[in-house]
Amino acid sequence: MALSEATLNSDRAIDSMFASRYVQNSLPKFQLPDKSTPKEAAYQIISDELMLDSNPRLNLASFVTTWMEPECNKLIMEAINKNYVDMDEYPVTTEIQNRCVNIIARMYHAPISEKEQAVGVSTVGSSEAIMLAGLAFKRKWQNRRKAEGKPYDKPNIVTGANVQVCWEKFARYFEVELKEVKLKEGYYVMDPRKAVEMVDENTICVAAILGSTYNGEFEDVKLLNDLLKEKNKKTKWDTPIHVDAASGGFIAPFLYPDLEWDFRLPLVRSINVSGHKYGLVYAGIGWIVWRGKQDLPEELIFHINYLGADQPTFTLNFSKGASQVIAQYYQLLRLGFEGYERIMENCRENAKYLRDSLIKTGRFNMLSKEVGVPLVAFSLKEKIKYNEHDISEHLRRFKWVVPAYNMAPDAQHISLLRVVIREDFSRSLAYRLVQDIQTVLHELDLLPLKFQPQPEKEKGADVAAAANGNCHR
């Protein structure tokens, strides 16, 4: 939800050159018009404004899918009017969701037999999935503490400081203390050793990230599992792991199949993944799967029947469109292992090309890793005349959206640029981006210094003046 802070005393009317042939008077922006608007005019007014948005294909800040095949677009439009929650009315759609859950759970090596059903649900994205996973961990921890006759009012969760904001939302909304492992220069993900040190009897789980938002790096879930397993054995606790695989969940199985990060590790109890990222579906679909039925407390599942049949549900909302679930099934069916593997390999090769090309300029340090999400995170070697934010701003002239931002604490003094490589980012676009970055660098090199270096004598004078309270601004 975007909180509106529109300035109401600004121009309240919407004007459109083309709409003027249909509409004689300007339309209000912040209140309902008194009369109806012709459909042609309504379309043109909105279309005119949307032209000022960035091109989604050139939005290199986003992990979210911006292109799908026409056949899938057709399926989406055919299902756009279906409410997924009407399971009795749309039983095939419900079956398709269950198929997706089972495919994803088995892809993550869930310990279930061929005839056994996986435990999981579709969500509107990884944020909702993480909320559900966190609630399941909290309730299991509370139930165990109650059974032991111990206090259960101070739960905490251990994460790295590099987690996505949805983890902070979960902690705040559901009253769980967030214990963050701080980053440091040169190490931009959660340190498993420090994470395990922070675990105590009130820890409901440790959250590991398979693909950091900041630099795409995979956290070492295997080491975390081994260290935590040893601590659990000594303390008699049963602290589990959740893997936030929002970005990496559709990458690791195809590019790094031998990497142990999923249900092959005994302490991993739940995994979330964003279907609308490298699952290759438009925005609005995520997934959460659990290791088994024992990891999702039954009391969190609601059973409703006022739509015609008993329907078990575990979500934070109720109504939602069915089209994204259907689109996810299309991709799983259409691509199969071979197709996903080929696409992810192409993304990795394009990321490598961009990385190598930027290194050749001699101007950047690489902060992303070769193993991880196919993205390129980089920072300037020298920042005398300009910084990463200046480069980001100047690239907008070429229609590129390349974000500049600072690392999470305690590495927030490091600023960087990040380019996410998606399926629709071709080698030719990568070449064009490098050329435009070099053009921007050349232009910025010609600018005067932002801060003129002071001679040593003047510096000494300033220090003395400051000491005497006579420093002028």
Side-chain angles (χ1 to χ4, degrees):
M1 177 181 70
L3 300 180
S4 176
E5 296 181 355
T7 305
L8 294 181
N9 61 1
S10 64
D11 182 8
R12 297 191 177 195
I14 298 177
D15 294 308
S16 172
M17 179 192 309
F18 304 108
S20 61
R21 67 175 62 184
Y22 304 106
V23 180
Q24 298 301 315
N25 299 314
S26 296
L27 298 174
K29 282 184 180 179
F30 303 115
Q31 63 187 36
L32 192 67
D34 293 331
K35 297 182 179 180
S36 299
T37 304
K39 61 181 184 293
E40 298 89 351
Y43 169 83
Q44 196 63 57
I45 288 169
I46 298 171
S47 179
D48 286 354
E49 285 204 276
L50 290 176
M51 285 194 301
L52 299 176
D53 272 347
S54 299
N55 183 339
R57 294 278 301 276
L58 300 181
N59 178 9
L60 306 183
S62 178
F63 292 83
V64 176
T65 296
T66 54
W67 179 87
M68 297 187 75
E69 292 177 324
E71 290 78 7
C72 191
N73 290 336
K74 184 178 179 182
L75 275 175
I76 289 173
M77 293 310 301
E78 289 174 356
I80 200 79
N81 58 351
K82 287 186 179 180
N83 186 357
Y84 169 76
V85 78
D86 294 339
M87 299 179 185
D88 193 51
E89 287 78 2
Y90 307 121
V92 176
T93 299
T94 302
E95 169 63 18
I96 284 175
Q97 189 238 209
N98 294 338
R99 291 177 191 173
C100 290
V101 167
N102 278 273
I103 290 171
I104 292 169
R106 285 175 169 80
M107 191 165 69
Y108 298 158
H109 301 92
I112 53 178
S113 65
E114 288 187 12
K115 295 183 179 180
E116 193 176 357
Q117 290 291 310
V119 180
V121 67
S122 65
T123 62
V124 294
S126 276
S127 293
E128 183 189 3
I130 284 167
M131 302 288 174
L132 298 179
L135 284 171
F137 283 121
K138 182 180 179 182
R139 184 57 59 89
K140 282 204 68 177
W141 175 83
Q142 287 176 326
N143 290 343
R144 185 171 65 251
R145 298 284 290 181
K146 288 178 184 178
E148 295 171 350
K150 297 178 179 179
Y152 53 90
D153 59 333
K154 295 182 179 180
N156 69 65
I157 188 168
V158 176
T159 72
N162 56 316
V163 291
Q164 215 264 358
V165 69
C166 59
W167 284 100
E168 298 178 39
K169 288 183 178 181
F170 166 75
R172 188 178 302 178
Y173 295 167
F174 297 104
E175 299 181 318
V176 176
E177 180 190 359
L178 187 66
K179 300 172 72 173
E180 294 184 334
V181 178
K182 302 302 182 183
L183 310 186
K184 63 180 180 180
E185 187 168 350
Y187 199 97
Y188 304 116
V189 292
M190 180 180 70
D191 185 335
R193 294 173 182 83
K194 292 182 179 179
V196 173
E197 288 175 4
M198 297 176 74
V199 170
D200 58 32
E201 62 180 353
N202 293 320
T203 303
I204 64 175
C205 81
V206 180
I209 306 176
L210 196 76
S212 172
T213 301
Y214 289 88
N215 70 343
E217 187 175 351
F218 291 168
E219 293 183 342
D220 193 340
V221 188
K222 175 68 165 62
L223 178 58
L224 176 64
N225 177 87
D226 294 344
L227 295 174
L228 192 55
K229 185 177 179 182
E230 185 178 337
K231 185 163 187 173
N232 283 343
K233 185 177 180 180
K234 290 180 180 178
T235 60
K236 307 301 181 184
W237 300 335
D238 186 27
T239 308
I241 295 171
H242 174 84
V243 179
D244 179 355
S247 298
F250 273 100
I251 295 169
F254 306 107
L255 293 185
Y256 314 107
D258 296 328
L259 182 67
E260 294 184 48
W261 63 274
D262 53 16
F263 293 125
R264 285 171 287 185
L265 303 176
L267 292 183
V268 174
R269 304 293 168 78
S270 55
I271 300 171
N272 69 276
V273 64
S274 293
H276 59 221
K277 292 182 179 176
Y278 288 94
L280 306 181
V281 179
Y282 294 137
I285 184 70
W287 303 92
I288 172 70
V289 289
W290 283 270
R291 186 181 192 87
K293 292 181 180 179
Q294 70 279 3
D295 296 300
L296 177 58
E298 178 64 31
E299 63 263 34
L300 292 179
I301 302 173
F302 287 82
H303 294 267
I304 58 174
N305 61 12
Y306 57 79
L307 290 176
D310 178 68
Q311 301 172 15
T313 176
F314 179 39
T315 60
L316 293 182
N317 59 359
F318 194 63
S319 295
K320 69 176 180 180
S323 55
Q324 306 308 82
V325 173
I326 293 168
Q328 182 71 83
Y329 186 59
Y330 171 89
Q331 293 290 46
L332 296 171
L333 188 66
R334 162 83 172 92
L335 296 174
F337 189 96
E338 176 191 33
Y340 271 105
E341 182 182 45
R342 185 170 60 248
I343 290 170
M344 298 310 150
E345 286 177 348
N346 287 341
C347 289
R348 178 172 61 181
E349 289 304 308
N350 285 336
K352 184 178 185 302
Y353 169 82
L354 180 60
R355 173 190 176 93
D356 292 345
S357 299
L358 291 174
I359 290 174
K360 287 179 182 177
T361 67
R363 307 292 291 275
F364 300 106
N365 292 315
M366 291 297 127
L367 303 180
S368 51
K369 305 294 183 180
E370 292 189 13
V371 174
V373 177
L375 62 79
V376 182
F378 53 103
S379 63
L380 281 165
K381 289 183 177 180
E382 295 184 357
K383 306 179 187 182
I384 299 175
K385 287 188 175 183
Y386 50 88
N387 57 30
E388 290 82 3
H389 296 273
D390 296 317
I391 294 175
S392 175
E393 182 180 348
H394 279 70
L395 281 173
R396 291 272 185 159
R397 290 182 19 242
F398 300 94
K399 302 188 184 301
W400 299 109
V401 180
V402 178
Y405 54 94
N406 292 79
M407 279 288 185
D410 284 331
Q412 64 266 39
H413 60 284
I414 297 172
S415 57
L416 63 153
L417 296 151
R418 188 194 67 205
V419 175
V420 177
I421 309 300
R422 300 188 302 268
E423 179 189 7
D424 57 353
F425 186 76
S426 64
R427 183 66 60 87
S428 59
L429 285 176
Y431 172 81
R432 185 70 259 170
L433 175 61
V434 173
Q435 299 303 306
D436 291 341
I437 289 175
Q438 289 180 319
T439 299
V440 166
L441 290 173
H442 177 70
E443 292 174 350
L444 291 173
D445 284 338
L446 299 177
L447 295 176
L449 289 176
K450 279 189 173 182
F451 305 102
Q452 293 289 347
Q454 291 179 306
E456 290 301 319
K457 285 186 178 181
E458 291 184 21
K459 286 184 181 179
D462 282 349
V463 171
N468 294 324
N470 297 320
C471 185
H472 300 283
R473 292 184 179 272

